[in-house]
Amino acid sequence: MALLNVSFACSPHVSNPHPRYSCSLSLCPTLQVPKKPRTAPRNLILLSLGESASKASLLALLSASLFLADPALAFKGGGPYGQEVTRGQDLTGKDFSGKTLISQDFKTSILRQANFKGSKLLGASFFDADLTGADLSDADLRGVDFSLANVTKANLSNANLEGALATGNTSFKGSKITGADFTDVPLREDQREYLCKVADGVNPTTGNATRETLLCN
């Protein structure tokens, strides 16, 4: 930005016995140098970074304390250790009974003799998982992905499997299916025939007969 510098000067006439003064007015443009923006002192920046790090450490400590207080939190979708904590894990004999595990990821996990009795597993994935001997009785298994899963000798009594996926080499051999609802479950023909031989009962939640949901003759 340019500013005007105003100067006013007067000088006497030497040759005149009665001196008069001659005055002049001069205008000179002056450039104003813009001020540099102030920056925060280095020590303040370091202090701010230190406070951020402290907050992050506190949050991590709080999450860890929650897990130690209640290990079951780690198995819930959106828990302190994320949804993949149950993926690709050996969870043999783990007790998940009565828990809400909606959309939980159990892909490729070993879940032999695991207890899911009465659990809400809507939309969960057991893709390529080993559920041999698992207890899935009274569980909400709607939309669950059992593709390539081993569900042999499992207890599916009164479970609701409406819309579940059972493609590939999924096997239910030896499983208890009394009162289970298989509505809209795409089963291989050999699996359907096998299940129809042992199917009986009515699902207490949907009121559908197990044989009817399997489209047994």
Side-chain angles (χ1 to χ4, degrees), residues 29-162:
T30 303
L31 291 178
Q32 184 178 20
V33 180
K35 295 182 179 179
K36 293 183 179 180
R38 293 185 178 181
T39 57
R42 185 177 180 184
N43 58 345
L44 290 180
I45 295 175
L46 293 176
L47 179 61
S48 177
L49 291 174
E51 290 178 352
S52 299
S54 298
K55 289 179 181 179
S57 299
L58 181 60
L59 289 174
L61 181 61
L62 179 59
S63 297
S65 64
L66 285 173
F67 174 67
L68 292 174
D70 185 4
L73 286 174
F75 301 112
K76 295 181 179 180
Y81 287 85
Q83 293 191 357
E84 293 189 2
V85 69
T86 51
R87 178 175 181 173
Q89 303 294 313
D90 185 350
L91 301 170
T92 300
K94 288 290 184 180
D95 185 6
F96 298 98
S97 59
K99 298 191 181 302
T100 298
L101 299 164
I102 295 174
S103 298
Q104 188 71 30
D105 191 355
F106 290 98
K107 291 186 184 77
T108 69
S109 288
I110 300 173
L111 295 154
R112 297 169 186 166
Q113 290 81 47
N115 186 2
F116 290 97
K117 182 179 178 62
S119 296
K120 295 179 180 179
L121 289 154
L122 182 68
S125 178
F126 290 102
F127 180 87
D128 200 22
D130 186 355
L131 287 156
T132 302
D135 187 354
L136 294 159
S137 60
D138 302 303
D140 185 352
L141 303 172
R142 289 175 295 168
V144 167
D145 187 1
F146 286 112
S147 299
L148 302 179
N150 184 359
V151 202
T152 57
K153 299 180 181 180
N155 185 358
L156 292 165
S157 301
N158 299 325
N160 185 0
L161 294 90
E162 289 181 289

Side-chain angles (χ1 to χ4, degrees), residues 148-183:
L148 302 179
N150 184 359
V151 202
T152 57
K153 299 180 181 180
N155 185 358
L156 292 165
S157 301
N158 299 325
N160 185 0
L161 294 90
E162 289 181 289
L165 294 176
T167 57
N169 294 324
T170 303
S171 176
F172 292 96
K173 285 188 176 182
S175 295
K176 299 177 182 178
I177 62 169
T178 300
D181 190 331
F182 285 89
T183 299

Side-chain angles (χ1 to χ4, degrees), residues 14 44 49 106 135 185 198 214 216:
V14 179
L44 290 180
L49 291 174
F106 290 98
D135 187 354
V185 178
V198 296
L214 286 167
C216 300

